[in-house]
Coordinates of all heavy atoms in Angstrom, one line a residue:
M969 N -23.7 -14.7 -37.2 CA -24.2 -13.8 -36.3 C -23.5 -13.7 -35.0 O -23.3 -12.6 -34.4 CB -25.8 -14.2 -36.1 CG -26.5 -13.2 -35.2 SD -26.7 -11.6 -36.0 CE -27.8 -10.8 -35.0
R970 N -23.1 -14.9 -34.5 CA -22.4 -14.9 -33.3 C -21.1 -14.2 -33.3 O -20.7 -13.6 -32.5 CB -22.2 -16.5 -32.7 CG -21.8 -16.5 -31.4 CD -21.9 -18.0 -30.9 NE -20.7 -18.3 -30.3 CZ -20.3 -19.5 -30.0 NH1 -21.0 -20.6 -30.4 NH2 -19.2 -19.8 -29.5
H971 N -20.3 -14.5 -34.4 CA -19.1 -13.7 -34.7 C -19.3 -12.3 -34.7 O -18.5 -11.5 -34.3 CB -18.4 -14.3 -35.9 CG -18.0 -15.8 -35.8 ND1 -17.0 -16.2 -35.0 CD2 -18.4 -16.9 -36.3 CE1 -16.8 -17.5 -35.0 NE2 -17.7 -18.0 -36.0
T972 N -20.3 -11.8 -35.3 CA -20.6 -10.4 -35.5 C -20.9 -9.8 -34.0 O -20.2 -8.8 -33.7 CB -21.7 -10.1 -36.3 OG1 -21.6 -10.8 -37.6 CG2 -22.1 -8.6 -36.4
L973 N -21.7 -10.5 -33.2 CA -21.9 -10.0 -31.8 C -20.5 -9.9 -31.0 O -20.2 -9.0 -30.3 CB -22.9 -10.8 -31.1 CG -24.3 -10.7 -31.8 CD1 -25.1 -11.6 -31.0 CD2 -24.8 -9.2 -31.5
T974 N -19.7 -11.1 -31.2 CA -18.5 -11.1 -30.5 C -17.5 -9.9 -30.9 O -16.8 -9.2 -30.0 CB -17.7 -12.4 -30.6 OG1 -18.6 -13.4 -30.3 CG2 -16.4 -12.5 -29.9
A975 N -17.6 -9.6 -32.3 CA -16.7 -8.6 -32.8 C -17.2 -7.2 -32.3 O -16.4 -6.4 -31.8 CB -16.7 -8.6 -34.3
L976 N -18.5 -7.0 -32.2 CA -19.1 -5.8 -31.8 C -18.7 -5.6 -30.3 O -18.4 -4.5 -29.8 CB -20.6 -5.9 -31.9 CG -21.0 -5.1 -33.2 CD1 -22.6 -5.3 -33.3 CD2 -20.7 -3.7 -33.2
A977 N -18.8 -6.6 -29.5 CA -18.5 -6.6 -28.1 C -17.0 -6.1 -27.8 O -16.7 -5.4 -27.0 CB -18.7 -7.8 -27.3
L978 N -16.2 -6.7 -28.6 CA -14.8 -6.4 -28.6 C -14.5 -5.0 -29.0 O -13.7 -4.3 -28.3 CB -13.8 -7.3 -29.3 CG -12.5 -7.2 -29.4 CD1 -11.8 -7.3 -28.0 CD2 -11.8 -8.0 -30.4
V979 N -15.1 -4.4 -30.0 CA -14.8 -3.1 -30.5 C -15.4 -2.1 -29.4 O -14.8 -1.2 -29.0 CB -15.5 -2.9 -31.8 CG1 -15.6 -1.4 -32.1 CG2 -14.8 -3.6 -32.9
A980 N -16.6 -2.5 -28.8 CA -17.2 -1.5 -27.8 C -16.3 -1.4 -26.6 O -16.1 -0.5 -26.0 CB -18.5 -2.1 -27.3
T981 N -15.8 -2.6 -26.1 CA -14.8 -2.7 -25.0 C -13.6 -1.9 -25.2 O -13.2 -1.0 -24.4 CB -14.4 -4.1 -24.7 OG1 -15.6 -4.8 -24.4 CG2 -13.5 -4.1 -23.5
L982 N -12.9 -2.0 -26.4 CA -11.8 -1.2 -26.7 C -12.1 0.2 -26.9 O -11.3 1.1 -26.4 CB -11.2 -1.7 -28.0 CG -10.6 -3.2 -28.1 CD1 -10.2 -3.5 -29.4 CD2 -9.4 -3.2 -27.0
A983 N -13.2 0.6 -27.4 CA -13.6 2.0 -27.5 C -13.9 2.7 -26.2 O -13.4 3.8 -25.9 CB -14.8 2.2 -28.3
L984 N -14.5 2.0 -25.3 CA -14.7 2.4 -23.9 C -13.5 2.6 -23.0 O -13.4 3.4 -22.2 CB -15.7 1.6 -23.2 CG -17.2 1.7 -23.6 CD1 -18.0 0.7 -22.9 CD2 -17.7 3.1 -23.4
G985 N -12.5 1.6 -23.3 CA -11.3 1.7 -22.7 C -10.5 3.1 -22.9 O -9.9 3.6 -21.9
G986 N -10.7 3.7 -24.0 CA -10.1 5.0 -24.3 C -10.9 6.2 -23.6 O -10.3 7.2 -23.4
C987 N -12.1 5.9 -23.0 CA -12.7 6.9 -22.4 C -12.4 7.2 -20.9 O -12.8 8.3 -20.4 CB -14.3 6.6 -22.5 SG -15.0 6.5 -24.0
F988 N -11.8 6.3 -20.3 CA -11.4 6.4 -19.0 C -10.2 7.3 -18.8 O -9.2 7.0 -19.4 CB -11.3 5.1 -18.3 CG -12.5 4.3 -18.2 CD1 -12.8 3.2 -19.1 CD2 -13.5 4.6 -17.2 CE1 -14.0 2.6 -19.0 CE2 -14.7 3.9 -17.3 CZ -14.9 2.9 -18.2
H989 N -10.2 8.2 -17.8 CA -9.0 9.1 -17.7 C -8.4 8.9 -16.3 O -9.1 8.8 -15.3 CB -9.6 10.5 -17.6 CG -8.7 11.6 -17.2 ND1 -7.6 12.0 -18.0 CD2 -8.5 12.3 -16.0 CE1 -6.8 12.8 -17.2 NE2 -7.4 13.0 -16.1
Q990 N -7.2 8.6 -16.3 CA -6.5 8.5 -15.1 C -5.9 9.7 -14.6 O -5.2 10.5 -15.3 CB -5.3 7.4 -15.2 CG -4.7 7.0 -13.9 CD -3.7 5.8 -14.1 OE1 -3.1 5.6 -15.1 NE2 -3.6 5.0 -13.1
D991 N -6.1 10.1 -13.4 CA -5.7 11.4 -12.9 C -4.2 11.5 -12.8 O -3.4 10.6 -12.6 CB -6.3 11.6 -11.5 CG -7.7 12.0 -11.5 OD1 -8.3 12.3 -12.5 OD2 -8.3 11.7 -10.4
S992 N -3.7 12.6 -12.9 CA -2.2 12.9 -12.7 C -1.9 13.0 -11.2 O -2.8 13.0 -10.3 CB -1.8 14.2 -13.3 OG -2.3 15.4 -12.6
K993 N -0.6 12.9 -10.9 CA -0.2 13.1 -9.5 C -0.8 14.2 -8.8 O -1.3 14.3 -7.7 CB 1.3 13.0 -9.3 CG 1.9 11.6 -9.7 CD 3.4 11.6 -9.5 CE 4.1 12.3 -10.4 NZ 5.7 12.1 -10.4
A994 N -0.6 15.4 -9.5 CA -1.2 16.7 -9.0 C -2.6 16.7 -8.8 O -3.1 17.3 -7.8 CB -0.7 17.8 -9.9
E995 N -3.3 16.0 -9.7 CA -4.8 16.0 -9.5 C -5.3 15.2 -8.3 O -6.1 15.5 -7.5 CB -5.5 15.4 -10.7 CG -5.4 16.4 -11.9 CD -5.9 15.7 -13.2 OE1 -5.5 14.5 -13.4 OE2 -6.5 16.4 -14.1
I996 N -4.4 14.0 -8.1 CA -4.8 13.1 -6.8 C -4.4 13.9 -5.6 O -5.2 13.9 -4.6 CB -4.0 11.9 -7.1 CG1 -4.5 11.0 -8.1 CG2 -4.0 11.1 -5.7 CD1 -3.7 9.7 -8.4
V997 N -3.2 14.5 -5.5 CA -2.9 15.3 -4.2 C -3.9 16.5 -4.1 O -4.3 16.6 -2.9 CB -1.5 15.9 -4.6 CG1 -1.1 16.9 -3.5 CG2 -0.4 14.8 -4.7
K998 N -4.3 17.1 -5.0 CA -5.3 18.2 -4.9 C -6.7 17.6 -4.3 O -7.2 18.3 -3.5 CB -5.6 18.9 -6.3 CG -6.5 20.2 -6.1 CD -6.4 21.1 -7.1 CE -7.3 22.3 -7.0 NZ -7.2 23.1 -5.7
K999 N -7.1 16.6 -4.9 CA -8.3 15.9 -4.3 C -8.2 15.5 -2.8 O -9.2 15.6 -2.2 CB -8.7 14.7 -5.2 CG -9.2 14.9 -6.5 CD -9.6 13.6 -7.3 CE -10.0 13.9 -8.6 NZ -10.4 12.6 -9.4
A1000 N -7.1 15.2 -2.5 CA -6.8 14.6 -1.1 C -6.3 15.6 -0.2 O -5.9 15.4 1.0 CB -6.0 13.3 -1.1
E1001 N -6.1 17.0 -0.5 CA -5.4 18.0 0.3 C -6.1 18.2 1.5 O -5.3 18.5 2.6 CB -5.2 19.3 -0.5 CG -6.4 20.0 -0.8 CD -6.2 21.1 -1.7 OE1 -5.0 21.5 -2.1 OE2 -7.2 21.9 -2.1
S1002 N -7.3 17.9 1.8 CA -7.9 18.3 3.2 C -8.2 16.9 3.9 O -8.8 17.0 5.0 CB -9.2 19.1 2.9 OG -10.2 18.2 2.2
A1003 N -7.8 15.8 3.4 CA -8.0 14.5 4.0 C -7.0 14.3 5.2 O -5.8 14.3 4.9 CB -7.9 13.4 3.0
A1004 N -7.6 14.3 6.4 CA -6.5 14.1 7.5 C -6.8 12.7 8.1 O -6.0 12.2 8.9 CB -6.9 15.2 8.6
T1005 N -8.0 11.9 7.8 CA -8.1 10.7 8.3 C -8.4 9.7 7.1 O -8.5 10.1 6.0 CB -9.4 10.6 9.2 OG1 -10.5 10.8 8.3 CG2 -9.4 11.6 10.3
K1006 N -8.3 8.3 7.5 CA -8.5 7.3 6.5 C -9.8 7.4 5.8 O -9.9 7.3 4.6 CB -8.3 5.9 7.2 CG -6.9 5.6 7.5 CD -6.6 4.4 8.2 CE -7.5 3.1 8.2 NZ -6.9 2.0 8.9
D1007 N -10.9 7.6 6.5 CA -12.2 7.8 6.0 C -12.3 9.0 5.0 O -12.9 8.9 4.1 CB -13.2 8.0 7.1 CG -13.6 6.7 7.8 OD1 -13.4 5.6 7.2 OD2 -14.2 6.7 8.9
Q1008 N -11.7 10.1 5.5 CA -11.6 11.3 4.6 C -10.9 11.0 3.3 O -11.3 11.4 2.1 CB -11.1 12.5 5.2 CG -12.0 13.0 6.3 CD -11.3 14.1 7.3 OE1 -10.0 14.2 7.3 NE2 -12.1 14.8 8.0
L1009 N -9.9 10.3 3.3 CA -9.0 9.9 2.1 C -9.8 9.0 1.3 O -9.8 9.1 0.1 CB -7.7 9.3 2.7 CG -6.6 9.0 1.5 CD1 -6.3 10.3 0.7 CD2 -5.4 8.4 2.1
R1010 N -10.5 8.0 1.9 CA -11.2 7.1 1.1 C -12.4 7.8 0.4 O -12.7 7.5 -0.8 CB -11.8 6.0 2.0 CG -12.6 4.9 1.2 CD -13.0 3.6 2.1 NE -11.8 2.9 2.2 CZ -11.3 2.6 3.4 NH1 -11.7 3.0 4.5 NH2 -10.3 1.7 3.5
K1011 N -13.0 8.8 1.0 CA -14.1 9.6 0.5 C -13.6 10.4 -0.7 O -14.2 10.5 -1.7 CB -14.7 10.4 1.4 CG -15.7 9.7 2.3 CD -16.4 10.6 3.3 CE -17.2 9.8 4.3 NZ -17.7 10.6 5.4
A1012 N -12.3 10.9 -0.6 CA -11.8 11.8 -1.6 C -11.2 11.0 -2.8 O -11.4 11.4 -4.0 CB -10.6 12.6 -1.0
L1013 N -10.7 9.8 -2.6 CA -10.0 9.0 -3.8 C -10.5 7.7 -3.8 O -10.1 7.0 -4.9 CB -8.6 9.0 -3.4 CG -7.8 10.4 -3.3 CD1 -6.3 10.1 -2.9 CD2 -7.9 11.1 -4.5
G1014 N -11.4 7.1 -3.0 CA -11.7 5.7 -3.1 C -10.6 4.8 -2.5 O -9.7 5.4 -1.9
D1015 N -10.8 3.5 -2.5 CA -9.8 2.6 -2.1 C -8.6 2.7 -2.9 O -8.5 3.0 -4.1 CB -10.4 1.2 -2.2 CG -11.5 1.0 -1.2 OD1 -11.6 1.6 -0.2 OD2 -12.5 0.2 -1.6
P1016 N -7.4 2.5 -2.1 CA -6.1 2.6 -2.8 C -5.9 1.5 -3.7 O -6.5 0.3 -3.6 CB -5.1 2.5 -1.7 CG -5.9 1.7 -0.6 CD -7.2 2.1 -0.8
D1017 N -5.1 1.6 -4.7 CA -4.8 0.6 -5.7 C -3.9 -0.4 -5.1 O -4.0 -1.6 -5.5 CB -4.0 1.2 -6.9 CG -4.9 2.1 -7.7 OD1 -6.0 1.7 -8.1 OD2 -4.4 3.3 -8.0
T1018 N -3.0 0.0 -4.2 CA -2.1 -0.9 -3.4 C -2.2 -0.5 -2.0 O -2.2 0.8 -1.6 CB -0.7 -0.8 -3.9 OG1 -0.7 -1.1 -5.4 CG2 0.1 -1.8 -3.2
L1019 N -2.3 -1.5 -1.1 CA -2.3 -1.1 0.4 C -1.1 -1.9 1.0 O -1.1 -3.2 1.0 CB -3.6 -1.6 1.0 CG -3.6 -1.6 2.5 CD1 -3.4 -0.1 3.0 CD2 -4.9 -2.1 3.0
N1020 N 0.0 -1.3 1.5 CA 1.0 -1.9 2.3 C 0.9 -1.7 3.7 O 0.5 -0.6 4.1 CB 2.4 -1.3 1.8 CG 2.6 -1.4 0.3 OD1 2.4 -2.5 -0.3 ND2 2.9 -0.4 -0.5
K1021 N 1.1 -2.7 4.4 CA 1.1 -2.8 5.9 C 2.3 -3.2 6.6 O 2.9 -4.2 6.1 CB -0.2 -3.5 6.4 CG -1.5 -3.0 6.0 CD -2.6 -3.8 6.7 CE -3.8 -2.9 7.1 NZ -4.7 -3.7 8.0
A1022 N 2.7 -2.4 7.7 CA 3.8 -2.9 8.6 C 3.4 -2.5 10.0 O 3.6 -1.4 10.3 CB 5.1 -2.3 8.1
G1023 N 2.9 -3.4 10.6 CA 2.4 -3.1 12.1 C 1.2 -2.1 11.9 O 0.3 -2.3 11.2
P1024 N 1.4 -1.1 12.8 CA 0.3 -0.1 12.8 C 0.5 1.0 11.6 O -0.5 1.8 11.4 CB 0.6 0.7 14.1 CG 2.0 0.6 14.3 CD 2.4 -0.8 13.8
L1025 N 1.6 0.9 10.8 CA 1.7 1.8 9.7 C 1.1 1.2 8.5 O 1.4 0.0 8.1 CB 3.3 2.0 9.5 CG 3.6 3.0 8.4 CD1 3.1 4.5 8.7 CD2 5.1 3.1 8.3
E1026 N 0.3 2.0 7.7 CA -0.1 1.6 6.4 C 0.4 2.5 5.4 O 0.7 3.7 5.7 CB -1.7 1.6 6.4 CG -2.3 0.6 7.3 CD -3.8 0.7 7.2 OE1 -4.3 1.4 6.3 OE2 -4.4 0.1 8.1
E1027 N 0.4 2.2 4.2 CA 0.8 3.0 2.9 C -0.3 2.8 1.9 O -0.4 1.7 1.4 CB 2.2 2.6 2.5 CG 2.5 3.7 1.3 CD 3.8 3.2 0.6 OE1 4.0 2.0 0.3 OE2 4.7 4.1 0.4
W1028 N -1.0 3.8 1.6 CA -2.0 3.7 0.6 C -1.4 4.3 -0.6 O -1.0 5.4 -0.8 CB -3.3 4.5 1.0 CG -4.1 3.8 2.1 CD1 -3.7 3.0 3.0 CD2 -5.5 4.1 2.3 NE1 -4.7 2.6 3.8 CE2 -5.8 3.3 3.5 CE3 -6.4 5.0 1.8 CZ2 -7.1 3.4 4.1 CZ3 -7.7 5.1 2.5 CH2 -8.0 4.3 3.5
V1029 N -1.5 3.4 -1.7 CA -0.8 4.0 -3.0 C -1.8 4.0 -4.0 O -2.6 3.2 -4.4 CB 0.4 2.9 -3.4 CG1 1.0 3.2 -4.7 CG2 1.3 2.6 -2.3
Y1030 N -1.8 5.2 -4.8 CA -2.7 5.5 -5.9 C -1.9 5.6 -7.2 O -0.9 6.3 -7.1 CB -3.5 6.7 -5.6 CG -4.5 6.4 -4.4 CD1 -4.1 6.8 -3.2 CD2 -5.8 6.1 -4.7 CE1 -5.0 6.6 -2.0 CE2 -6.7 5.9 -3.5 CZ -6.2 6.1 -2.3 OH -7.2 6.0 -1.3
E1031 N -2.3 4.9 -8.2 CA -1.7 4.9 -9.4 C -2.2 6.2 -10.2 O -3.3 6.4 -10.2 CB -2.0 3.7 -10.3 CG -1.6 2.5 -9.8 CD -0.1 2.2 -9.9 OE1 0.4 2.8 -10.8 OE2 0.4 1.4 -9.0
A1032 N -1.2 6.9 -10.7 CA -1.5 8.3 -11.5 C -1.0 8.0 -12.9 O -0.3 7.1 -13.2 CB -0.8 9.3 -10.8
A1033 N -1.5 8.9 -13.8 CA -1.1 8.8 -15.2 C 0.4 9.0 -15.4 O 1.0 8.4 -16.2 CB -1.9 9.8 -16.1
D1034 N 1.0 9.8 -14.4 CA 2.4 10.2 -14.6 C 3.3 9.6 -13.3 O 4.3 10.2 -13.1 CB 2.5 11.6 -14.6 CG 1.8 12.4 -13.6 OD1 1.1 11.7 -12.8 OD2 2.1 13.6 -13.4
G1035 N 2.7 8.6 -12.7 CA 3.6 8.1 -11.5 C 2.7 7.5 -10.4 O 1.5 7.0 -10.7
V1036 N 3.0 7.5 -9.2 CA 2.2 7.1 -8.1 C 2.2 8.2 -7.0 O 3.1 9.0 -6.9 CB 2.8 5.7 -7.4 CG1 2.6 4.7 -8.5 CG2 4.2 5.9 -7.0
V1037 N 1.2 8.0 -6.2 CA 1.0 8.8 -5.0 C 0.8 8.1 -3.8 O 0.0 7.1 -3.8 CB -0.2 9.8 -5.0 CG1 -0.3 10.7 -3.9 CG2 -0.1 10.8 -6.4
R1038 N 1.7 8.2 -2.8 CA 1.7 7.4 -1.6 C 1.3 8.2 -0.4 O 1.8 9.3 -0.2 CB 3.1 6.9 -1.3 CG 3.5 6.1 -2.5 CD 5.1 5.7 -2.3 NE 5.6 5.0 -3.4 CZ 5.5 3.8 -3.6 NH1 4.7 2.9 -2.8 NH2 6.0 3.3 -4.8
F1039 N 0.4 7.6 0.4 CA -0.1 8.3 1.7 C 0.2 7.4 2.8 O -0.2 6.3 3.0 CB -1.6 8.5 1.7 CG -2.0 9.5 0.6 CD1 -2.4 9.0 -0.7 CD2 -2.1 10.9 0.9 CE1 -2.8 10.0 -1.6 CE2 -2.7 11.7 -0.1 CZ -3.0 11.4 -1.4
P1040 N 1.2 7.8 3.7 CA 1.5 7.1 5.0 C 0.4 7.3 5.9 O -0.1 8.5 6.0 CB 2.8 7.6 5.4 CG 2.9 9.0 4.8 CD 2.1 9.0 3.5
I1041 N 0.0 6.3 6.6 CA -1.1 6.3 7.6 C -0.6 5.7 8.9 O -0.2 4.5 8.8 CB -2.4 5.8 7.1 CG1 -2.8 6.5 5.9 CG2 -3.5 5.7 8.1 CD1 -4.0 5.9 5.0
L1042 N -0.7 6.3 9.9 CA -0.5 5.8 11.2 C -1.8 5.8 12.0 O -2.3 6.9 12.4 CB 0.7 6.5 12.0 CG 1.1 5.9 13.3 CD1 1.6 4.5 13.2 CD2 2.3 6.8 13.8
G1043 N -2.3 4.6 12.5 CA -3.5 4.6 13.2 C -4.7 5.1 12.1 O -4.9 4.4 11.1
D1044 N -5.3 6.2 12.4 CA -6.3 6.6 11.6 C -5.8 8.0 10.8 O -6.5 8.5 10.0 CB -7.6 7.0 12.3 CG -8.7 7.3 11.4 OD1 -8.9 6.7 10.3 OD2 -9.5 8.3 11.7
R1045 N -4.7 8.4 11.1 CA -4.2 9.8 10.7 C -3.3 9.6 9.3 O -2.4 8.9 9.3 CB -3.3 10.5 11.7 CG -4.0 10.7 13.0 CD -5.3 11.4 13.0 NE -5.1 12.7 12.6 CZ -6.0 13.6 12.4 NH1 -7.3 13.4 12.6 NH2 -5.8 14.9 12.1
V1046 N -3.6 10.5 8.4 CA -2.9 10.5 7.1 C -1.7 11.5 7.3 O -1.8 12.6 7.7 CB -3.8 11.0 6.0 CG1 -3.0 11.1 4.7 CG2 -5.1 10.1 5.8
G1047 N -0.6 10.9 6.8 CA 0.7 11.6 7.0 C 0.9 12.5 5.7 O 0.1 12.6 4.8
P1048 N 2.2 13.0 5.6 CA 2.5 13.8 4.5 C 2.6 12.9 3.1 O 3.1 11.9 3.1 CB 3.8 14.5 4.7 CG 4.4 13.7 5.8 CD 3.3 13.1 6.5
V1049 N 2.0 13.6 2.1 CA 2.0 12.7 0.7 C 3.3 12.7 0.1 O 4.1 13.5 0.3 CB 0.9 13.4 -0.2 CG1 1.3 14.9 -0.5 CG2 0.7 12.6 -1.5
V1050 N 3.6 11.6 -0.5 CA 4.8 11.3 -1.2 C 4.4 10.9 -2.7 O 3.7 10.0 -2.9 CB 5.5 10.3 -0.6 CG1 7.0 10.0 -1.4 CG2 5.9 10.6 0.8
T1051 N 5.0 11.6 -3.7 CA 4.9 11.1 -5.0 C 6.1 10.6 -5.6 O 7.2 10.8 -5.2 CB 4.4 12.4 -6.0 OG1 5.5 13.4 -5.9 CG2 3.1 13.1 -5.5
G1052 N 5.9 9.8 -6.6 CA 7.0 9.0 -7.2 C 6.7 8.5 -8.5 O 5.7 8.7 -9.2
E1053 N 7.7 7.8 -9.0 CA 7.5 7.2 -10.4 C 7.0 5.8 -10.4 O 7.1 5.2 -9.3 CB 8.9 7.1 -11.1 CG 9.6 8.5 -11.3 CD 8.7 9.5 -12.2 OE1 8.2 8.9 -13.2 OE2 8.7 10.6 -11.7
K1054 N 6.4 5.3 -11.4 CA 5.8 3.9 -11.4 C 7.0 3.0 -11.4 O 8.1 3.3 -11.9 CB 4.9 3.7 -12.7 CG 3.6 4.5 -12.6 CD 2.8 4.1 -13.7 CE 1.4 4.8 -13.6 NZ 0.4 4.6 -14.7
A1055 N 6.7 1.9 -10.8 CA 7.8 0.8 -10.7 C 8.1 0.3 -12.2 O 7.1 0.1 -13.0 CB 7.5 -0.4 -9.9
K1056 N 9.3 0.1 -12.4 CA 9.8 -0.4 -13.7 C 9.5 -1.9 -13.8 O 9.7 -2.6 -12.8 CB 11.3 -0.3 -14.0 CG 11.8 1.2 -13.7 CD 12.0 1.8 -15.1 CE 12.7 3.2 -15.0 NZ 11.9 4.3 -15.4
K1057 N 9.0 -2.4 -14.8 CA 8.6 -3.8 -15.0 C 9.6 -4.6 -15.8 O 10.5 -4.2 -16.4 CB 7.3 -3.9 -15.9 CG 6.1 -3.3 -15.1 CD 4.8 -3.5 -15.9 CE 3.7 -2.9 -15.0 NZ 2.4 -3.2 -15.7

């Protein structure tokens, strides 16, 4: 019985994994097009997947299905969006 439950849990986890959709770069950019502040960006996209900091400059990076989207932030202001490819592993 215990093995059956474990197998069922594994199958359910794998099946649900296919249900999640990762946005494309274009979809992320569109969702954030009116975000001018960090709070507005967070409301539009949630917390970044990666946060890079260098003094007062931050870079919020969001993983997309087809690459990454980077938002430079100085103080509280969001700068121009930059898209790119995912890092090679």
